[in-house]
C-alpha cells in the first residue's frame, strides 16, 4: 500500500462515511415500531407489520456493521488528531466534542425520550418511571441512543493513557491481532441478534467495550502506519453480503429451535451461534473495508453539500430519538400502510432536524460545540 494522506488534506470521504453511519441510526430507530414482532422495552408497535420480515432484515443489516465502522473511523481520526496536535489537544477535543454533548444529552434528550416511551407504554411495568427520576434515568437506567458516546470516551481515555506510556500503534503483528481478538469477543456476546449486543447502561459491558476497542485500535494503527485507502476495496462488499446471509441464516436456525424466542446465552454455547458470531464479525470487517473503498470512490472530492450534511448529521443523531418516538406515537394507528408510516417518521424527523440545524444550530454556540466554528457564506455581490 502507498503512504496515507498528508496532514493538510481533509478526508472528505471518511467524513461522509462517518455521517452515513450516524444517519443509519435514525433509520434503525425509525423502523423499530414496524418490526414483525414487538420489541421488549419499545412499547410502540404497528400490528399490521406482523409477518413481514423486511424491517427485521433492514435493522439487523444496519446493526451488524454501523458501529464497527464508526469506531474504526473514530480510532483513525483520534490518531490523526494526536499526530497533528498532540495528546493534550486530543483529550480536550474529545471532551468538548463528545463529552459535553453526552453530558448535556443525558439531562435533556435522554429523559425526554424515556418520558415519551413511558407515555407510550402507559406507565406500566418497566415504564413505571416517576417524573422526579427522569433527569437521572441515564445514571441508573438507560443511556438510550447516547451509549456509544460513553463507550467512545472510555476507549479514547485508554488510548490516551497508552500513548502517554509510549505506545505508537505501529507494530504490524499487534495491528492484525485486532481481527481475531474481535472475533473472540463476539463469542462472549449473549443476545441472539445479528451483530454485537445492545448497550445502554452507564456500566459498560466488558466484552462489548473490548469488541469495539478492537475496531478503534485498528483505525488508530491504520493511520499511524500511513496506509492509504483504495477504491478497489469496494469489492469487499460482495463477500460481506455473502457473510451476512450466512450469519443471518445460522442465527435464524438457532432462533427457530426455540420457536423464534431464543434465550440469552453466550454465543460460544451453541455451534450455530458460535459460527454465526464468527461470520458476523468477518462481515463487519469486510463492510468496513468495502465502505471505505466505496466512499473513496464516490466522495473523495470536496463538496460543500456533502460537508454540510456531514456536519448536520451529528446534531441530527443526538436530537432525533424524542422526535422519532413522538412520530411513531402519532402515526402508529393511522389507516395507511406501515411502509408509508416508516417513511413519514424517518423522512419527517430527518427533514425537521436538518431545518433546525440550518437555522437554529449551525452558526450558534451549539454548532460550534459539535463541529467547531462555521462561517456564514458570504453574500453574492449585486
Amino acid at each position: 500500500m502507498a503512504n496515507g494522506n498528508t496532514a493538510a488534506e481533509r478526508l472528505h470521504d471518511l467524513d461522509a462515511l462517518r455521517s452515513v453511519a450516524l444517519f443509519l441510526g435514525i433509520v434503525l430507530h425509525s423502523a423499530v415500531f414496524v418490526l414483525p414482532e414487538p420489541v421488549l422495552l419499545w412499547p410502540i408497535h404497528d400490528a399490521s407489520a406482523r409477518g413481514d420480515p423486511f424491517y427485521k432484515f433492514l435493522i439487523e443489516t444496519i446493526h451488524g456493521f454501523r458501529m464497527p465502522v464508526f469506531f474504526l473511523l473514530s480510532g483513525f481520526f483520534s490518531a490523526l488528531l494526536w499526530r497533528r496536535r498532540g495528546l493534550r489537544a486530543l483529550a480536550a477535543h474529545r471532551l468538548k466534542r463528545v463529552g459535553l454533548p453526552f453530558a448535556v444529552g443525558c439531562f435533556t434528550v435522554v429523559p425526554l425520550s424515556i418520558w415519551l416511551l413511558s407515555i407510550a407504554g402507559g406507565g406500566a411495568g418497566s415504564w413505571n418511571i416517576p417524573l422526579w427520576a427522569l433527569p437521572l434515568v441515564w445514571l441508573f437506567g438507560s443511556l438510550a441512543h447516547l451509549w456509544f458516546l460513553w463507550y467512545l470516551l472510555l476507549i479514547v481515555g485508554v488510548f490516551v493513557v497508552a500513548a502517554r506510556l509510549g505506545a505508537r500503534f505501529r507494530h504490524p503483528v499487534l495491528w492484525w491481532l485486532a481481527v481475531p481478538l474481535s472475533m473472540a469477543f463476539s463469542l462472549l456476546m449473549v443476545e441472539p441478534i445479528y451483530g454485537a449486543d445492545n448497550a445502554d447502561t452507564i456500566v459498560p459491558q466488558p466484552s462489548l467495550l473490548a469488541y469495539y476497542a478492537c475496531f478503534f485500535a485498528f483505525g488508530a494503527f491504520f493511520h499511524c502506519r500511513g496506509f492509504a485507502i483504495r477504491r478497489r476495496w469496494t469489492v469487499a462488499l460482495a463477500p460481506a453480503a455473502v457473510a451476512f446471509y450466512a450469519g443471518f441464516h445460522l442465527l435464524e436456525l438457532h432462533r427457530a429451535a426455540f420457536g423464534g424466542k431464543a434465550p440469552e446465552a453466550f454465543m460460544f454455547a451453541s455451534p450455530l451461534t458460535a459460527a454465526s458470531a464468527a461470520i458476523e464479525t468477518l462481515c463487519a470487517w469486510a463492510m468496513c473495508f468495502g465502505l471505505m473503498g466505496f466512499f473513496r470512490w464516490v466522495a473523495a472530492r470536496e463538496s460543500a453539500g456533502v460537508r454540510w450534511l456531514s456536519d448536520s448529521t451529528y446534531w441530527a443523531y443526538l436530537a432525533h430519538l424524542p422526535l422519532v418516538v413522538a412520530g411513531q406515537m402519532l402515526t402508529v394507528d393511522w389507516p395507511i400502510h406501515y411502509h408509508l408510516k416508516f417513511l413519514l417518521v424517518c423522512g419527517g424527523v430527518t427533514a425537521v432536524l436538518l431545518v433546525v440545524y440550518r437555522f437554529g444550530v449551525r452558526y450558534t454556540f451549539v454548532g460550534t460545540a459539535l463541529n467547531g466554528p462555521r462561517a456564514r457564506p458570504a453574500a453574492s455581490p449585486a
Side-chain angles (χ1 to χ4, degrees), residues 5-10 84:
N5 304 85
T6 64
E9 181 182 355
R10 184 166 189 90
R84 286 185 182 180

Side-chain angles (χ1 to χ4, degrees), residues 14 40 45 100 105 164 173 187 203 223 248-249 268 270 290 296 352 364 378:
L14 297 187
L40 183 66
H45 181 251
L100 181 59
R164 181 74 70 182
V173 176
L187 295 175
V203 179
H223 174 76
F248 187 83
H249 178 67
F268 64 75
S270 162
R296 171 62 55 149
V352 168
T364 68

Side-chain angles (χ1 to χ4, degrees), residues 29 66-67 105 109-110 113 142-149 199-200 316-322:
H29 293 136
R66 185 175 72 93
M67 278 301 156
V109 179
V110 172
S113 302
S142 173
L143 296 174
H145 63 304
L146 301 186
W147 67 269
F148 79 101
L149 296 180
D200 66 349
Y317 182 82
L318 294 176
H320 81 279
L321 194 58

Side-chain angles (χ1 to χ4, degrees), residues 30-270:
S30 298
V32 173
F33 82 127
V34 287
L35 284 169
E37 297 293 337
V39 175
L40 183 66
L41 300 182
W42 195 275
I44 312 167
H45 181 251
D46 187 344
S48 66
R50 287 184 181 274
D52 186 348
F54 174 78
Y55 289 103
K56 178 182 179 180
F57 188 81
L58 175 67
I59 286 177
E60 298 209 1
T61 301
I62 294 172
H63 183 70
F65 73 86
R66 185 175 72 93
M67 278 301 156
V69 168
F70 177 83
F71 277 97
L72 190 151
L73 295 180
S74 295
F76 182 94
F77 283 114
S78 294
L80 183 150
L81 185 57
W82 166 41
R83 301 294 289 273
R84 286 185 182 180
R85 303 182 188 176
L87 281 177
R88 188 181 298 272
L90 168 62
H93 183 277
R94 289 298 182 255
L95 286 174
K96 179 180 179 181
R97 302 287 172 82
V98 179
L100 181 59
F102 171 72
V104 173
C106 282
F107 288 100
T108 55
V109 179
V110 172
L112 181 57
S113 302
I114 300 301
W115 178 65
L116 290 170
L117 286 169
S118 178
I119 293 175
S126 300
W127 296 112
N128 185 16
I129 302 173
L131 285 176
W132 64 264
L134 285 174
L136 296 177
V137 71
W138 61 273
L139 185 60
F140 60 83
S142 173
L143 296 174
H145 63 304
L146 301 186
W147 67 269
F148 79 101
L149 296 180
W150 176 234
Y151 275 55
L152 180 58
L153 286 170
L154 294 175
I155 293 172
V156 170
V158 174
F159 176 79
V160 170
V161 171
R164 181 74 70 182
L165 293 176
R168 290 296 175 263
F169 298 92
R170 294 181 59 86
H171 196 286
V173 176
L174 294 178
W175 184 39
W176 286 108
L177 275 178
V179 177
L181 280 176
S182 65
M183 189 177 299
F185 291 126
S186 73
L187 295 175
L188 299 176
M189 304 294 177
V190 297
E191 294 183 13
I193 58 174
Y194 192 91
D197 284 354
N198 291 298
D200 66 349
T201 60
I202 197 71
V203 179
Q205 299 178 31
S207 60
L208 191 60
L209 185 65
Y211 177 78
Y212 288 128
C214 290
F215 290 90
F216 183 97
F218 190 93
F221 274 100
F222 193 89
H223 174 76
C224 292
R225 289 185 60 81
F227 288 118
I229 299 168
R230 300 299 190 187
R231 295 180 181 181
R232 62 174 178 266
W233 293 0
T234 306
V235 300
L237 295 177
V242 175
F244 172 81
Y245 175 79
F248 187 83
H249 178 67
L250 290 172
L251 194 58
E252 285 296 288
L253 291 176
H254 173 72
R255 290 166 175 160
F258 294 91
K261 303 285 185 179
E264 291 189 355
F266 286 119
M267 293 295 105
F268 64 75
S270 162

Side-chain angles (χ1 to χ4, degrees), residues 72 178-179 182 214-215 218 280-290:
L72 190 151
V179 177
S182 65
C214 290
F215 290 90
F218 190 93
E280 291 166 21
T281 305
L282 292 177
C283 177
W285 284 106
M287 287 295 295
C288 287
F289 284 101

